Amino acid sequence: MKMHNTQQTSSGPVTVPLSFCILLHPDGRIERLVDLKVEEYFTAVRDASIAWIDCSIHDEDKEIEKLAQLAGFTKVPVPKLTHGFYSAYEDYDTELGIMLPSVTVKGERMTIHPLFILIRDNLVLTVHSDQINRLLRFSRYAQQFFKRVAAENTPDKITLTLERIIDENNDRNFEYLREIEMHGDTISKSLIEEKVAKKKVAHDIYRMKHVLIDYLNVLWATKDVVDSLRYGDADLITNDEKLLGRVGILSDNIDRHIELSEQMSNVLSSGLEVMQSIYNNQLQTMNNRFALVTAYLTVLGTAALVPNTIATIAGSGVMEGTMAAQWWYIPMLVATTVIATLVSLLWVVHVWKRREDD
């Protein structure tokens, strides 16, 4: 396996290894192997005090099972790990299988990749998608880390390595909460801009809240795994209370980020309530305008109804047209029109003011 994954940065292309292996030998010597065939890693593990192998794969469902077989894992049910809800924890005494969620967020879209951790004897095997590089930063300092744990017992070495791997994955997941908060702040800002379509803002808030719910599911899934480890029930995990306390700190950190995420969810819910209030105010304003138009039409209708009724009576057969011939007929029509208009207008104004007071 001599391929490399190249990523572009501001300072130029950076070559990211698709696989590496950190070996701690019984004599204290530390060896780092990069981009070799997987079989060569597993051969080198036999003579090591502890070894950490990290592999990037393209198809998690197919390749993870093959890697597990090559590494000698016979008890852990890999298909059960791959089909867990964001996370999985399978303890089979001499073998331990863990799946953790690794999050990437771009705008309003969140993608979750599984991070598999398989442990047996003196081997810690991590397998993940080639689209993420969660453990690259830790791998740069893994040799110094292994120097510090060289004097520990094997369960202690495994526990410390596992704790550091989980911590690295959590830190990268936590970084995306800031991105979600920044995007949520942008949406909140658009609420005060009159030219922005409020319907679009409402959809943005809903999508962001959906991303946040998925993010909370990731945190809860990670916490389930960490809580399963913190009591040291697995045979491969140390019983040292001090080391298990470090795992407990991971759980506490997850709790704090769950609280922050729930607060962010409440903020987005408040935004939806604001949108609903805006829509209600718009409907109320429209109703008021229609009511005002109806009042004006009522005044005009009343003003035309009275003189029209008099003119109808004057032209009917009952009066035989004598009323229309009188000199006072036209002044009466004018006077009745003015009086009817004033009376209806005063009545509408009175009702409108009473409605505003209520």
Side-chain angles (χ1 to χ4, degrees), residues 197-203 272-285:
K198 302 307 181 201
K199 186 175 182 180
K200 178 181 179 301
V201 176
H203 284 291
L272 288 174
E273 293 176 0
V274 170
M275 294 301 304
Q276 186 63 40
S277 300
I278 291 174
Y279 288 141
N280 291 338
N281 290 337
Q282 291 176 345
L283 290 175
Q284 185 63 38
T285 302

Side-chain angles (χ1 to χ4, degrees), residues 64-115:
I64 177 62
E65 191 166 3
K66 182 180 178 180
L67 276 174
Q69 292 175 356
L70 290 173
F73 289 92
T74 58
K75 294 184 178 181
V76 175
V78 176
K80 194 172 181 180
L81 283 179
T82 58
H83 292 87
F85 180 72
Y86 289 157
S87 69
Y89 178 87
E90 299 294 333
D91 178 22
Y92 287 84
D93 298 333
T94 58
E95 295 181 6
L96 180 63
I98 296 172
M99 182 186 72
L100 293 172
S102 298
V103 176
T104 57
V105 178
K106 292 183 179 180
E108 299 175 353
R109 183 177 180 181
M110 184 176 74
T111 306
I112 302 172
H113 299 278
L115 171 63

Side-chain angles (χ1 to χ4, degrees), residues 186-296:
T186 303
I187 295 175
S188 300
K189 182 180 179 182
S190 61
L191 287 173
I192 61 176
E193 297 179 2
E194 297 181 357
K195 295 182 179 180
V196 176
K198 302 307 181 201
K199 186 175 182 180
K200 178 181 179 301
V201 176
H203 284 291
D204 290 341
I205 292 176
Y206 171 77
R207 286 193 293 268
M208 206 65 228
K209 187 172 176 60
H210 182 71
V211 169
L212 196 57
I213 290 174
D214 287 340
Y215 184 78
L216 277 168
N217 288 332
V218 167
L219 294 180
W220 281 113
T222 305
K223 180 175 172 57
D224 288 341
V225 173
V226 172
D227 287 345
S228 299
L229 292 169
R230 68 187 300 183
Y231 301 109
D233 295 332
D235 291 340
L236 291 172
I237 303 300
T238 183
N239 293 320
D240 188 283
E241 294 184 0
K242 183 178 179 180
L243 297 183
L244 292 177
R246 298 182 60 167
V247 180
I249 293 175
L250 296 180
S251 180
D252 295 339
N253 289 336
I254 296 173
D255 286 334
R256 283 193 289 271
H257 281 81
I258 288 175
E259 292 177 1
L260 292 174
S261 300
E262 289 177 344
Q263 291 176 6
M264 185 66 187
S265 179
N266 293 333
V267 171
L268 292 175
S269 298
S270 301
L272 288 174
E273 293 176 0
V274 170
M275 294 301 304
Q276 186 63 40
S277 300
I278 291 174
Y279 288 141
N280 291 338
N281 290 337
Q282 291 176 345
L283 290 175
Q284 185 63 38
T285 302
M286 189 176 296
N287 289 335
N288 291 340
R289 291 177 179 176
F290 277 121
L292 185 60
V293 170
T294 303
Y296 288 147

Side-chain angles (χ1 to χ4, degrees), residues 20-25 28-34 50-54 124 126 134-150 157 160-162 164-165 168:
F20 59 83
C21 176
I22 310 295
L23 300 169
L24 174 60
H25 294 280
R29 183 170 48 90
I30 298 174
E31 185 178 3
R32 177 186 175 93
L33 307 176
V34 177
I50 186 173
W52 171 35
I53 301 175
D54 181 83
V124 178
T126 55
R134 284 299 166 90
L135 306 176
L136 182 62
R137 182 172 56 184
F138 175 38
S139 68
R140 293 171 180 169
Y141 305 101
Q143 292 172 285
Q144 291 82 350
F145 172 79
F146 273 32
K147 287 180 181 178
R148 293 196 298 269
V149 302
K157 293 186 182 74
L160 288 169
T161 304
L162 180 60
R164 184 64 183 272
I165 290 172
E168 286 291 324

Side-chain angles (χ1 to χ4, degrees), residues 295-296 298-300 302-303 338-352:
Y296 288 147
T298 301
V299 173
L300 295 176
T302 305
V338 173
I339 293 172
T341 302
L342 290 175
V343 171
S344 59
L345 181 61
L346 290 174
W347 174 253
V348 168
V349 170
H350 170 72
V351 172
W352 194 265

